[in-house]
Amino acid sequence: MNLPYPPLVFHPVYSQLDLPVRHRFPIEKYQGIHDALVARGVPPGHFTTPEALTTADLTATYQQDYVSALCGGTLDHKAMRRIGFPWSEQLIRRSLTAVSGTCLTAALAQEYGLALNLTGGYHHAFADSGSGFCLFNDLYLAAKRAQARDDCDTVMIIDLDVHQGDGTAKLAEHDDSVFTVSVHGEKNFPHRKQTSDIDIGLAKGTGDDEYLTTLDETLHLAFRQCSPDFVIYDAGVDVHINDDLGHLHITTPGVLARDKMVLDMCKQKGLPVACVIGGGYQRDIAALVDVHLQLFRAAGVIR
């Protein structure tokens, strides 16, 4: 089956979450990315819609007490505050659907070579707790599901969000079949870093040239150390110079060059790639959407 674009995964619930006024999380951006892609010629019917996971889908990987308390609304106030969202049934439904979307994206990538989820990258979630707007770690769960196929033994997770993928690193700490790479801002959240297989911490103010050189070196190092069967790519755009929480100075062309570098290298190696959009925290949603669109340009979805 030949598709005009790589498979795209989206559900309107991605942006359906009532948050307090001036809440830091830009929940509107997911619908904004969808609408921008449609406006640029992607047929509305091209998007694949995920169904929400059940709690049983999570408890094989995540601690049952945590899953039950969070989904049931009994998680204590301190733990919810660490997550950063007020609890609601809407929050749980959205999260279970978003995580399902990344798992579906991985399955589609294994079939077609490349697929993109219009959300994802919940890399601060651990087996027994959430953090930093992340309830359940979709990256690790999608990696383990991808390994259910006979042709997938080892998964590499390339995380280029400005914040270290601490939850992912901890989940994969004793799992040699999931190789974790994180290139992030060193002086940024989380303050307590975990240990990925490769961690590169960048100084505040790092610009395009240094960033892209470092990334090129890091990718070559990663592929020398690991020969994966599958790649999951977290293309967080909070590295952008205008991001409120990033502290790096990466331009929009720099983001595009980064995404092309990752996808091109994986293509050269014949590796299927599942992409998630990761973080991005400009309050100007239109400007934020434009930066996120660089991933879809790099993937050949739009020009």
Side-chain angles (χ1 to χ4, degrees):
M1 180 179 176
N2 292 320
L3 298 177
Y5 316 100
L8 304 175
V9 176
F10 174 75
H11 194 298
V13 78
Y14 289 179
S15 279
Q16 292 171 359
L17 182 60
D18 297 326
L19 294 173
V21 176
R22 300 292 294 171
H23 192 278
R24 194 73 228 38
F25 195 79
I27 194 68
E28 307 94 335
K29 73 178 184 178
Y30 307 107
Q31 186 69 51
I33 294 168
H34 170 274
D35 294 349
L37 292 173
V38 171
R40 286 162 175 78
V42 177
H46 182 74
F47 297 89
T48 302
T49 305
E51 295 183 3
L53 296 178
T54 66
T55 55
D57 293 323
L58 297 171
T59 52
T61 306
Y62 306 109
Q63 191 179 91
Q64 183 158 356
D65 288 349
Y66 168 65
V67 173
S68 298
L70 179 55
C71 292
T74 61
L75 196 67
D76 68 73
H77 176 72
K78 183 178 179 181
M80 283 304 305
R81 188 171 62 186
R82 186 179 176 207
I83 289 172
F85 291 127
W87 189 90
S88 65
E89 291 184 0
Q90 187 185 46
L91 172 67
I92 302 305
R93 183 170 62 253
R94 179 200 174 272
S95 298
L96 292 175
T97 306
V99 172
S100 176
T102 300
C103 294
L104 176 57
T105 302
L108 290 168
Q110 287 180 302
E111 183 174 356
Y112 294 104
L114 177 63
L116 303 92
N117 191 13
L118 273 64
T119 188
Y122 301 110
H123 59 175
H124 299 310
F126 293 76
D128 60 354
S129 62
S131 177
F133 307 135
C134 303
L135 283 70
F136 305 111
N137 194 305
D138 60 323
L139 303 177
Y140 188 73
L141 183 61
K144 300 315 292 179
R145 287 202 163 194
Q147 289 172 339
R149 283 181 46 140
D150 292 339
D151 60 354
C152 184
D153 294 323
T154 304
V155 177
M156 180 183 291
I157 298 176
I158 300 173
D159 190 338
L160 301 187
D161 192 281
V162 80
H163 304 109
Q164 193 217 28
D166 55 338
T168 312
K170 188 66 176 178
L171 282 160
E173 183 178 24
H174 302 296
D175 185 349
D176 292 339
S177 71
V178 178
F179 189 90
T180 54
V181 181
S182 183
V183 180
H184 52 266
E186 183 63 29
K187 302 297 184 181
N188 207 324
F189 180 88
H191 300 298
R192 181 186 177 188
K193 305 292 192 289
Q194 299 294 327
T195 303
S196 311
D197 289 292
I198 296 177
D199 280 304
I200 304 296
L202 301 171
K204 290 183 177 182
T206 296
D208 286 0
D209 290 346
E210 181 182 353
Y211 182 82
L212 293 170
T213 298
T214 300
L215 175 59
D216 183 67
E217 294 170 351
T218 302
L219 292 175
H220 280 92
L221 174 64
F223 285 114
R224 284 197 299 272
Q225 293 188 10
C226 175
S227 297
D229 303 301
F230 185 62
V231 172
I232 298 175
Y233 174 39
D234 183 345
V237 302
D238 37 15
V239 298
H240 194 267
I241 189 170
N242 293 333
D243 197 88
D244 293 357
L245 304 182
H247 310 307
L248 299 186
H249 287 178
I250 311 306
T251 65
T252 301
V255 171
L256 177 61
R258 174 199 73 170
D259 294 343
K260 283 182 63 64
M261 184 184 296
V262 173
L263 296 183
D264 287 350
M265 189 170 293
C266 291
K267 185 176 181 179
Q268 290 167 9
K269 295 180 179 296
L271 293 171
V273 185
C275 302
V276 299
I277 69 164
Y281 300 95
Q282 293 186 54
R283 289 195 184 274
D284 183 335
I285 296 298
L288 177 56
V289 164
D290 183 65
V291 185
H292 276 299
L293 287 179
Q294 305 315 306
L295 173 63
F296 299 87
R297 290 194 170 91
V301 177
I302 57 174
R303 293 184 177 181

